[in-house]
Amino acid sequence: HLLEHQIGDARKARLLEQALSLTGVAGAYLGRDPPLAYSSNAFWTRPGETPPRHDIQALHVDCDDSRFLALFVYLDDVFDEAGGPHVLVGPDGVERRVFGRAGTAFLADTRNRHCGIKPSRRGRGIWWWRWGVGDPPASYVWDGNAPISSVELAGRYPQDSHLRESLRLLVAPP
């Protein structure tokens, strides 16, 4: 996971708001109201001579929790194979590639096979946000996650108690 550049404050605010706006969708999919947000991460992959990383650039399944849903957002344009599209294999076995401009967002149940193709032209940034049903999900513990202070959200901590409950693993209340 190589970080090439910083995400600007305005973009971070939009990402957070986008994730919060999908909390109801995630809850309906997972059958948990509210779903627990437990992971947010951004990383960049680069082209080059090194072999693809098996943990992210080869088809794999995640085992974060018994049920979970991920929101992915491209931070760079991904218009073709050289851009490093995300590949999702549905329960039907059909492989789908996701292309789009920076800001393209998609939801995926990553208990199904998926990967990010290693880009061959330039780096590709992607951000994810994950909701689960465990309290906390297993990967929250494995990754050593802990909530940040709501003060760090600079006034973007939601007033809605339902959203606050969904965020409690990521953001400590004031």
Side-chain angles (χ1 to χ4, degrees):
H1 305 293
L2 301 172
L3 186 62
E4 289 180 353
H5 53 83
Q6 296 295 316
I7 302 171
D9 286 341
R11 185 181 278 181
K12 282 191 280 191
R14 287 190 306 268
L15 293 171
L16 174 62
E17 297 307 321
Q18 186 170 27
L20 292 176
S21 75
L22 292 169
T23 299
V25 172
Y29 180 80
L30 296 171
R32 186 184 202 291
D33 186 33
L36 290 175
Y38 66 91
S39 175
S40 178
N41 198 358
F43 65 93
W44 280 259
T45 54
R46 297 182 183 172
E49 298 300 318
T50 59
R53 288 185 47 171
H54 74 279
D55 59 332
I56 60 172
Q57 295 171 328
L59 286 173
H60 65 281
V61 296
D62 295 334
C63 55
D64 291 26
D65 198 0
S66 60
R67 292 188 322 277
F68 56 99
L69 186 66
L71 166 66
F72 293 96
V73 179
Y74 283 151
L75 301 176
D76 294 294
D77 295 338
V78 178
F79 293 134
D80 53 26
E81 290 293 316
H86 202 84
V87 176
L88 303 166
V89 179
D92 57 3
V94 175
E95 190 174 284
R96 295 166 178 88
R97 284 169 161 59
V98 179
F99 299 100
R101 294 190 177 284
T104 295
F106 52 98
L107 294 165
D109 183 336
T110 58
R111 292 176 303 163
N112 295 306
R113 294 183 317 143
H114 66 284
C115 69
I117 300 293
K118 183 176 175 148
S120 61
R121 184 179 55 244
R122 62 181 175 90
R124 178 199 70 153
I126 196 164
W127 175 78
W128 81 66
W129 179 275
R130 293 183 184 180
W131 297 271
V133 297
D135 193 5
S139 70
Y140 183 85
V141 177
W142 301 329
D143 292 340
N145 290 345
I148 63 169
S149 167
S150 61
V151 173
E152 293 186 50
L153 293 181
R156 294 189 319 267
Y157 187 59
Q159 295 301 311
D160 180 274
S161 61
H162 190 258
L163 290 176
R164 285 185 173 194
E165 174 61 19
S166 180
L167 286 173
R168 69 182 166 78
L169 294 176
L170 293 178
V171 183

